[in-house]
Amino acid sequence: MGAGVIVDDYCQLIANSDERASIVMGENTFIRSFAMLNAGPPCGYIKIGKSSSIGQSSIIYGHGGVEIGDNVMIAGQCFIVASNHNFDQPDLPMNEQGHSAIGISIGNNVWLGAGCKILDGVTIGEGSVIAANAVVNKNVDSGSIIGGIPGKVIGQLNRGV
């Protein structure tokens, strides 16, 4: 944990000392109450940049690796899951089909609105906004505003660059 990290009451951090299943928090990161971060032992991880915040009751599963940039705001009740259950073998029970884990990357200066879902394999570009309750299942270009289920571009931010 970097200097100035705050982890509120009733948070759950699941990791181990193995570098492959760790949670790393940059300086001045704030984890709000009831958030759950699960690195996904044995080889998942969660890396959070500096001055980022995770809202109340948000859940992050890092089984395929989750990288969150600097100055990222994640509102309450968001769900970020870097894995997925396989279901392509109808002759096998669901719980015997295994899973895949690609990973999620969230760029710097991103805002995830309340209740949004970010699914495995997604990269969210720098300076993007994900609207409340959106479900993001595809990559997001930098500066995009995404909303809906599934998430679609509903606008672009003009930052003068």
Side-chain angles (χ1 to χ4, degrees):
M1 289 189 196
V5 169
I6 297 171
V7 178
D8 251 350
D9 294 335
Y10 307 108
C11 289
Q12 186 177 33
L13 306 176
I14 302 169
N16 61 38
S17 59
D18 185 331
E19 192 173 291
R20 298 174 307 153
S22 64
I23 298 172
V24 176
M25 295 181 217
E27 63 187 40
N28 299 316
T29 292
F30 188 11
I31 311 298
R32 301 297 302 264
S33 57
F34 299 100
M36 195 266 291
L37 282 64
N38 182 341
C43 57
Y45 65 91
I46 299 169
K47 292 181 182 174
I48 304 170
K50 65 182 180 181
S51 301
S52 291
S53 60
I54 311 296
Q56 289 94 342
S57 302
S58 287
I59 298 173
I60 302 175
Y61 286 115
H63 294 81
V66 173
E67 297 190 12
I68 298 170
D70 298 336
N71 304 302
V72 172
M73 298 185 306
I74 299 175
Q77 299 181 348
C78 289
F79 187 61
I80 300 168
V81 57
S83 68
N84 197 7
H85 289 281
N86 297 331
F87 57 90
D88 58 349
Q89 299 178 55
D91 54 322
L92 285 178
M94 288 288 186
N95 62 359
E96 293 179 14
Q97 293 192 41
H99 72 281
S100 63
I102 299 169
I104 294 171
S105 177
I106 299 172
N108 297 329
N109 194 35
V110 168
W111 176 22
L112 302 182
C116 70
K117 314 299 188 268
I118 311 300
L119 304 183
D120 192 31
V122 167
T123 295
I124 298 177
E126 184 170 343
S128 294
V129 174
I130 309 301
N133 294 313
V135 176
V136 181
N137 63 356
K138 293 188 178 358
N139 291 345
V140 173
D141 291 335
S142 294
S144 297
I145 303 169
I146 304 296
I149 302 171
K152 292 182 177 26
V153 176
I154 59 173
Q156 283 294 131
L157 296 169
N158 182 356
R159 298 196 189 268
V161 281

